[in-house]
Amino acid sequence: MAHRVDAQFLAHAQAAEEVGHHPMADIAGTPTAVEAVLAPVFERWHQDAGSTYRNWFHWEERLKNFRSIRRGLQAVVQEIETGAFGNTYRGSSLETVVSAIAEQRQIFKGADHAFLWKPKLRIPDIYEHPQNQRAFGRFLDECDCCNDEAGVLRAIHALDAQRIKGLGPAAANLLYFVHPTLVPPFNTAIVRGYNTLTGAKVKLGRWDEYLAMRRGILELNRVHRRWLSNDLGAVAGFLFDIGAGRIVLPPTGNDPAAQAAWEADLARVRADAADQKRRAAEAAEDQSHTQIQGWLRDLGRALGFNVWIASNDRARPYAQGRLGDGCLTALPEALERTAGADAIRLIDVIWLEADGKLAAAFEVEHSTSIYSGIVRMLDLALGLGDGMAARYFLVAPDRREADVRAQFARPAFSRVTELDLRYLPYSELEAHRDAMARFGRGLRPIEVIARTLR
């Protein structure tokens, strides 16, 4: 149901909005100039692994919380309407909802403080004042039922007109999870960040001040949309990181030293982001490499062979245990005596007959140099009197077949042709390993799915 809005309040709110509506006024004048100045700031924010953009806005659990929080608010409304809400915060349905929000500590740490009952101050006055409690319930219900900006603003104006002591814009954190494209979150750091960025003087605790900031935030989000999102959580996170001191804005004066220091800091952030990306890629690569070794380990044992895992990989976690579990802890004596024993120990997977005779060797080349794997297998084959009788496999992603064939064709590897080296694509191993393990025996199954390189 629509409520009549207090005219004096609207006039005050509109005036405050005009005062607050000057995004980046102290940094640049036109949207194009503002974009040019802020682009490296947004870039830094996107790259910073500790920013709200990386650890909250793109956090999968954040999206999962929207539905549960909205359902929780509907339960609050229902309890207020039926008189079952009670007169305490602790143990109430509201505590459950607000606690779920506050658990998103990257940006909502302390969000529950505004709703805690403070007996000495008698705030927020929605627990022991039934009329205020019902007004709060109507506010939540109207915001949940409406689907446009006008409806949300009507509900906010109606709630503010009640002048409920201690119930201010912190309630916007509830509305954000109902209308994330219309209502930005609100806290001290966000306000501080907005004021720092725009030169505004928004104060805490008043809905008209919040609405002024909201209008500026919407404009900021429009101008810089390519860095942000339709979901106002992104721009709120950006302001939060500015307000918390994580993101430092470029100097606005003509101080070359300050500008150089800021640019140097930006360069460090970029370098850190690149390093983190590289380490993440390496970790993913190691995981994929280990998985293939694990497949070959299990397949080799199922086909009746003893298995050797590269000495530097045996301790890697795999399948609730270690990669080297159930494998040989020492090479057979014949292999230990060869001149290239140190290199042989690093071959990813070796299958051996029960009597210690070499059956097959595998080098997994997920993305590393194919050259070194070929060299290790050549050392193995040439170091044994009957080494050429064994089978040798380069195991690599399907996309690397051309790389494998190019290395095999190098003049330096002329003797590799004697190895009958074969290429084993990931896809073939993945598709057939279970059937081979169940029905196969010896080397025949693996030879069938591998591809010759001659």
Side-chain angles (χ1 to χ4, degrees):
M1 181 178 68
H3 293 269
R4 185 175 66 83
V5 179
D6 186 284
Q8 184 178 2
F9 167 78
L10 272 180
H12 187 186
Q14 289 167 356
E17 287 179 350
E18 292 302 324
V19 171
H21 183 50
H22 49 88
M24 289 297 294
D26 285 359
I27 294 181
T30 67
T32 302
V34 171
E35 169 66 19
V37 172
L38 277 188
V41 182
F42 280 114
E43 179 189 3
R44 171 180 176 174
W45 182 58
H46 279 199
Q47 292 176 343
D48 184 355
S51 71
T52 55
Y53 183 77
R54 295 280 293 277
N55 66 22
W56 175 70
F57 188 70
H58 284 288
W59 182 39
E60 185 178 351
E61 290 301 315
R62 181 186 79 93
L63 299 177
K64 292 180 180 178
N65 281 334
F66 276 87
R67 181 176 296 179
S68 59
I69 289 172
R70 187 168 186 173
R71 283 200 301 263
L73 289 174
Q74 291 168 349
V76 173
V77 171
Q78 181 67 22
E79 289 185 5
I80 290 175
E81 287 181 349
T82 60
F85 182 80
N87 59 2
T88 60
Y89 175 74
R90 295 297 185 190
S92 69
S93 54
L94 181 60
E95 182 187 28
T96 301
V97 174
V98 175
S99 295
I101 295 173
E103 283 176 356
Q104 300 183 49
R105 302 177 66 83
Q106 304 94 327
I107 190 170
F108 288 110
K109 181 180 179 180
D112 54 345
H113 181 74
F115 295 92
L116 293 172
W117 172 239
K118 304 166 187 66
K120 292 183 180 179
L121 300 175
R122 317 302 292 174
I123 60 173
D125 196 8
I126 55 173
Y127 302 114
E128 298 184 352
H129 193 302
Q131 183 178 343
N132 288 347
Q133 189 178 109
R134 288 192 292 272
F136 178 58
R138 287 196 301 271
F139 162 73
L140 295 178
D141 185 45
E142 289 177 13
C143 287
D144 184 47
C145 293
C146 72
N147 56 11
D148 59 6
E149 181 182 42
V152 171
L153 293 178
R154 278 197 303 271
I156 290 174
H157 294 156
L159 179 68
D160 189 74
Q162 295 294 317
R163 299 293 189 263
I164 299 174
K165 187 178 179 181
L167 187 64
N173 290 329
L174 306 178
L175 301 191
Y176 167 69
F177 289 92
V178 179
H179 294 291
T181 63
L182 298 176
V183 183
F186 173 90
N187 60 34
T188 302
I190 292 172
V191 171
R192 187 186 300 122
Y194 179 79
N195 288 340
T196 299
L197 183 66
T198 66
K201 296 180 180 179
V202 175
K203 298 182 179 67
L204 295 167
R206 294 179 59 95
W207 276 109
D208 54 354
E209 298 274 348
Y210 169 80
L211 291 175
M213 183 179 73
R214 173 186 173 273
R215 184 173 175 182
I217 286 175
L218 291 176
E219 177 65 10
L220 182 70
N221 196 64
R222 183 191 68 78
V223 173
H224 303 287
R225 183 61 174 276
R226 74 186 185 96
W227 296 102
L228 297 167
S229 168
N230 192 41
D231 182 336
L232 296 177
V235 66
F238 179 64
L239 296 173
F240 179 92
D241 283 340
I242 293 175
R246 184 166 196 94
I247 296 297
V248 180
L249 297 177
T252 57
N254 295 318
D255 185 345
Q259 184 66 31
W262 185 82
E263 290 176 357
D265 187 47
L266 177 60
R268 283 193 294 272
V269 170
R270 288 173 174 168
D272 288 345
D275 186 55
Q276 289 164 1
K277 184 177 181 180
R278 176 186 57 79
R279 283 182 288 177
E282 288 175 351
E285 179 180 316
D286 286 345
Q287 185 177 15
S288 298
H289 190 280
T290 299
Q291 183 181 53
I292 302 301
Q293 284 177 284
W295 289 355
L296 292 169
R297 178 198 72 178
D298 296 342
L299 179 58
R301 294 175 63 187
L303 294 176
F305 298 106
N306 293 325
V307 178
W308 166 265
I309 295 292
S311 58
N312 59 329
D313 293 334
R314 286 201 296 263
R316 288 182 181 273
Y318 179 75
Q320 311 302 317
R322 300 291 177 182
L323 190 58
D325 290 349
C327 298
L328 298 173
T329 57
L331 287 171
E333 186 177 351
L335 294 178
E336 286 284 4
R337 289 200 308 263
T338 62
D342 288 342
I344 293 169
R345 292 190 192 96
L346 299 178
I347 292 177
D348 288 322
V349 182
I350 298 175
W351 292 354
L352 299 119
E353 304 283 2
D355 61 2
K357 182 179 178 181
L358 176 66
F362 302 84
E363 274 293 312
V364 180
E365 305 297 352
H366 184 71
S367 63
T368 52
S369 171
I370 294 168
Y371 180 92
S372 58
I374 295 176
V375 169
R376 280 193 292 271
M377 288 195 287
L378 195 58
D379 283 341
L380 175 59
L382 297 177
L384 294 173
D386 57 353
M388 293 297 181
R391 294 289 180 266
Y392 299 89
F393 301 89
L394 280 172
V395 190
D398 297 53
R399 59 181 169 76
R400 299 204 75 192
E401 182 171 0
D403 295 339
V404 171
R405 293 187 181 279
Q407 287 291 338
F408 183 73
R410 291 178 59 172
F413 291 131
S414 59
R415 294 213 61 186
V416 174
T417 56
E418 302 175 33
L419 292 180
D420 191 21
L421 183 65
R422 301 189 183 195
Y423 164 59
L424 179 57
Y426 281 8
S427 62
E428 294 291 334
L429 180 61
E430 181 175 17
H432 301 292
R433 62 192 178 91
D434 289 338
M436 289 190 293
R438 185 175 180 183
F439 302 111
R441 197 71 182 171
L443 289 175
R444 181 60 182 164
I446 203 79
E447 289 177 325
V448 169
I449 66 169
R451 300 173 187 175
T452 62
L453 292 172
R454 290 180 179 176

